């Protein structure tokens, strides 16, 4: 979706579809009021008779209104004015975007950013509306052709702004970059596991980096990882015909001596559970087990598009977890790259196995902050559902920054404790640790496991098992936490 600013007055704006907001319980204002006046109070009357739906996210399409150059007006219900907040603003814009997609418009113009929200600026509203409408217009086509008469993604969105809104173009650039990042992450997530395997992810990383002068990408193969002693990552990969890759993407936006922010993604392109095999039902959903990788790659792309003045390194631990005669097995003791030994009690706890070596590898970059992102535990879905990513870290300041970034862009996280008391759940007589901590606090013990490989780092862990994708009728990758991480990088670049 491309975007542009228009300062044409609302009544003379020519567009196939003009998008206006309407509260259920407040006098019409702004562009909505202007259109209402032009059509002699028509909107007001239709609201009174119930012909315009005003519940939050409900829409009504009107054709050829008197006094309005736009061919159609899409009225978007915003519910009660008192209940309208930043999250509702976002979901309302999303709903509008979904209508535009389902009605298959090529172009449209939106005024939704007009509506004020407590403690949010005009820039915030403009950016958030573009992100939400852009996200709603993601469309998967890689292995399914779109229907000729079906929904189509919006190609061009005009944002109706006053000439005084001088920062609007800069805001749009940022929004476009973030939407591209989300799109990239969603496409990678939605691709089937027979296409999106570790080698494919590495090729995608190369392609993305090649598009920018100040980016580069490389990946390590099995032999190179053997030389580094990455036996934990390689242990997981052993059961698969698809070879693993450790992908390293570099973005240089600041002086060489500025410490980089390092993002590490879990890239299990399919998780069968291995020898501790998962039940058959819904196993296809484990194609999303590279959601962490997709999120950090998408964030890399957003950062490159914004050309932030930071240094960024993205590392992806890419492998497939399969059962095989050569697969790693429960009872195996494996020496990780860090030298710490791990007793494998469940081959389905593979995410932490690949991530621990990637975290050790990340040390060499001397990160200013080290953040890993992973669809790590089913327990996180139980704890937080699909609305929040689980955040774990010993660093209160890093937690505060990440939570604030998520709140700002409405891609929210919630902290879980990482107290030392949980660590003993990983004790075993046969190794430095086992790879599972039992039933209690499954997400936290997974975080505890990872913490042992980032001891001296300014490190945080985001469990996106519930947030990176959704199931049901609207099944698909969400692209999260591209928003949270992009906002975090923007915040860091401003320092
Ligand atoms: N990829 C899964 C986690 C997952 C489960 C993500 C459901 C999304 C939805 C992970 O590799 C896994 O299998 N974790 C196990 C850990 C257990 C063996 C300690 C789990 O959550 O059951
Ligand atoms: Mn697993
Ligand atoms: Zn997994």
């Amino acid at each position: 979706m491309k975007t542009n600013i228009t300062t044409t007055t609302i009544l003379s704006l020519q567009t196939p579809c003009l998008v206006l907001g309407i509260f259920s319980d407040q006098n019409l204002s702004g562009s909505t009021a202007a259109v209402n006046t032009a059509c002699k109070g028509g909107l007001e009357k239709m609201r009174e008779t119930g012909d315009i739906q005003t519940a939050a996210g409900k829409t009504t399409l009107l054709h050829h209104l008197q006094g309005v150059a736009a061919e159609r007006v899409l009225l978007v219900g915003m519910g009660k004015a008192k209940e309208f907040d930043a999250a509702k603003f976002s979901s309302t814009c999303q709903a509008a975007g979904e209508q535009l997609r389902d009605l298959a418009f090529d172009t449209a113009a939106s005024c939704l950013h007009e509506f004020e929200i407590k403690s949010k600026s005009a820039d915030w509203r403009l950016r958030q509306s573009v992100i939400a409408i852009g996200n709603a217009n993601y469309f998967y086509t890689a292995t399914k052709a779109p229907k000729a008469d079906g929904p189509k993604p919006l190609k061009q969105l005009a944002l109706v702004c006053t000439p005084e809104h001088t920062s609007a173009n800069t805001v749009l650039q940022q929004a476009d970059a973030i939407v591209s990042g989300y799109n990239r992450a969603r496409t990678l997530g939605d691709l089937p596991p027979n296409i999106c395997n570790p080698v494919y992810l590495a090729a995608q990383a190369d392609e993305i980096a090649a598009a920018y002068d100040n980016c580069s990408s490389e990946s390590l193969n099995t032999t190179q990882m053997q030389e580094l002693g990455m036996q934990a990552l390689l242990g997981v990969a052993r059961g698969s015909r698809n070879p693993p890759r450790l992908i390293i993407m570099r973005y240089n936006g600041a002086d060489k001596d500025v410490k980089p922010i390092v993002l590490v993604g879990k890239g299990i392109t399919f998780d069968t559970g291995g020898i501790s095999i998962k039940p058959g039902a819904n196993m296809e959903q484990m194609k999303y087990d590279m959601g962490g990788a997709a999120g950090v790659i998408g964030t890399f792309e957003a950062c490159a598009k914004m050309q932030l003045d930071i240094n960024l390194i993205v590392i992806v631990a890419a492998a497939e977890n399969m059962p095989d005669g050569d697969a790693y097995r429960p009872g195996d003791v494996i020496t990780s790259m860090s030298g710490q030994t791990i007793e494998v009690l469940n081959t389905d706890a593979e995410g932490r196995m690949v991530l621990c070596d990637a975290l050790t590898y990340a040390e060499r970059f001397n990160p200013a902050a080290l953040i890993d992102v992973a669809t790590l535990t089913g327990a996180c879905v139980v704890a937080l559902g699909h609305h929040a990513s689980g955040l774990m870290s010993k660093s209160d300041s890093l937690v505060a920054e990440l939570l604030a970034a998520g709140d700002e862009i409405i891609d929210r996280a919630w902290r879980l404790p990482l107290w030392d008391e949980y660590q003993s759940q990983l004790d075993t007589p046969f190794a430095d640790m086992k790879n599972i901590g039992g039933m209690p606090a499954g997400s936290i013990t997974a975080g505890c496991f990872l913490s042992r490989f980032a001891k001296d780092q300014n490190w945080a862990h985001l469990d996106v098992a519930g947030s990176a994708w959704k199931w049901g009728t609207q099944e698909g990758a969400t692209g999260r936490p591209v928003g949270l991480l992009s906002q975090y990088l923007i915040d860091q670049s401003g320092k």
Side-chain angles (χ1 to χ4, degrees):
M1 184 183 83
K2 294 212 162 76
T3 53
N4 66 281
I5 301 286
T6 177
T7 52
T8 311
T9 52
I10 199 74
L11 299 180
S12 49
L13 183 69
Q14 285 183 345
T15 172
C17 187
L18 176 65
V19 184
L20 300 174
I22 188 161
F23 283 118
S24 57
D25 60 351
Q26 210 180 46
N27 287 339
L28 303 183
S29 63
S31 299
T32 314
V35 167
N36 182 56
T37 308
C39 66
K40 310 208 162 62
L43 299 187
E44 192 78 77
K45 270 179 231 150
M46 281 187 265
R47 181 169 71 168
E48 270 161 34
T49 55
D51 290 298
I52 288 174
Q53 293 195 281
T54 55
K58 296 280 182 196
T59 58
T60 311
L61 188 67
L62 305 172
H63 302 257
H64 303 289
L65 282 184
Q66 218 179 59
V68 184
E71 289 164 52
R72 300 167 195 84
V73 168
L74 181 69
L75 280 162
V76 185
M78 303 196 304
K80 293 188 177 132
K82 262 213 174 120
E83 291 167 10
F84 197 66
D85 59 11
K88 287 242 172 53
F89 177 88
S90 230
S91 56
T92 305
C93 292
Q94 166 105 16
E98 282 165 9
Q99 271 303 304
L100 295 173
R101 175 199 63 197
D102 292 350
L103 295 166
F105 288 115
D106 280 338
T107 68
S110 170
C111 298
L112 293 178
H113 53 278
E114 278 177 7
F115 292 89
E116 288 180 14
I117 312 161
K118 216 166 123 191
S119 75
K120 296 292 183 203
S121 66
D123 279 354
W124 184 91
R125 279 147 31 205
L126 185 62
R127 192 183 77 157
Q128 199 67 22
S129 75
V130 173
I131 293 173
I133 295 172
N135 257 339
N137 279 278
Y138 163 77
F139 209 74
Y140 178 84
T141 54
T143 51
K144 183 181 181 178
K147 284 198 191 117
D149 57 353
K152 262 193 210 81
L154 190 68
K155 287 193 189 122
Q156 183 82 36
L157 177 69
L159 287 308
V160 186
C161 291
T162 60
E164 292 78 49
H165 195 162
T166 47
S167 50
N169 272 310
T170 324
V171 172
L172 281 204
Q173 270 169 17
Q174 211 176 65
D176 289 344
I178 293 168
V179 171
S180 302
Y182 267 119
N183 268 310
R184 176 72 67 177
R186 294 176 76 176
T187 306
L188 289 174
D190 283 340
L191 278 170
N194 59 323
I195 294 177
C196 184
N197 57 36
V199 170
Y200 180 89
L201 278 180
Q204 287 284 298
D206 289 347
E207 204 178 299
I208 293 163
Y212 304 90
D213 285 342
N214 58 349
C215 294
S216 65
S217 167
E218 60 173 318
S219 55
L220 307 185
N221 61 24
T222 304
T223 323
Q224 291 165 305
M225 286 191 267
Q226 252 154 11
E227 279 160 15
L228 288 165
M230 300 186 139
Q231 292 307 323
L233 192 157
L234 291 171
V236 173
R238 254 170 46 198
S240 173
R241 296 280 176 95
N242 287 312
R245 288 288 183 269
L246 187 80
I247 305 164
I248 303 120
M249 305 172 80
R250 288 183 173 81
Y251 166 81
N252 307 310
D255 286 346
K256 271 210 192 92
D257 53 349
V258 174
K259 286 185 180 181
I261 293 164
V262 181
L263 304 178
V264 177
K266 169 179 173 182
I268 298 295
T269 57
F270 196 71
D271 181 13
T272 64
I275 297 299
S276 316
I277 198 160
K278 289 182 182 292
N282 302 323
M283 200 201 271
E284 75 288 347
Q285 295 178 340
M286 284 300 121
K287 72 171 183 178
Y288 296 113
D289 211 17
M290 34 58 70
V296 295
I297 293 173
T299 302
F300 181 95
E301 187 167 17
C303 174
K305 278 222 154 106
M306 291 185 277
Q307 286 291 310
L308 299 176
D309 59 356
I310 57 166
N311 291 328
L312 174 69
I313 292 176
V314 158
I315 300 174
V316 170
E320 188 179 42
N321 190 22
M322 298 283 274
D324 180 75
D326 192 38
Y328 80 139
R329 55 182 92 64
D332 282 1
V333 174
I334 288 175
T335 305
S336 65
M337 183 182 174
S338 72
Q340 299 177 89
T341 55
I342 304 161
E343 186 188 16
V344 179
L345 287 195
N346 191 321
T347 62
D348 199 10
E350 85 298 340
R352 61 199 80 179
M353 299 293 290
V354 299
L355 285 172
C356 71
D357 281 345
L359 287 170
T360 302
Y361 185 82
E363 262 175 38
R364 69 187 54 205
F365 300 113
N366 197 13
L370 174 60
I371 303 159
D372 77 73
V373 187
T375 49
L376 206 61
T377 61
C380 193
V381 192
V382 175
L384 299 173
H386 299 288
H387 300 295
S389 304
L391 173 59
M392 284 150 261
S393 174
K394 289 238 176 191
S395 163
D396 292 341
S397 57
L398 186 55
V399 164
E401 288 170 338
L402 291 168
L403 289 178
D407 283 349
E408 173 71 8
I409 204 161
I410 323 286
D411 175 8
R412 291 174 288 196
W414 196 258
R415 188 183 197 177
L416 299 173
L418 209 54
W419 300 318
D420 293 338
E421 282 79 355
Y422 290 102
Q423 290 282 356
S424 61
Q425 284 179 242
L426 298 174
D427 288 349
T428 163
F430 304 113
D432 293 329
M433 68 197 88
K434 51 187 182 184
N435 78 332
I436 58 173
M439 187 276 282
S443 303
I444 294 171
T445 52
C448 285
F449 181 98
L450 295 177
S451 74
R452 297 174 177 216
F453 300 86
K455 272 181 204 134
D456 304 315
Q457 303 291 331
N458 182 28
W459 162 82
H461 160 59
L462 275 167
D463 193 332
V464 295
S467 58
W469 54 284
K470 48 187 174 213
W471 53 73
T473 47
Q474 292 227 49
E475 184 183 343
T478 62
R480 292 175 64 185
V482 165
L484 182 156
L485 291 173
S486 300
Q487 183 63 48
Y488 169 73
L489 297 182
I490 291 166
D491 296 344
Q492 294 305 307
S493 79
K495 283 188 175 162

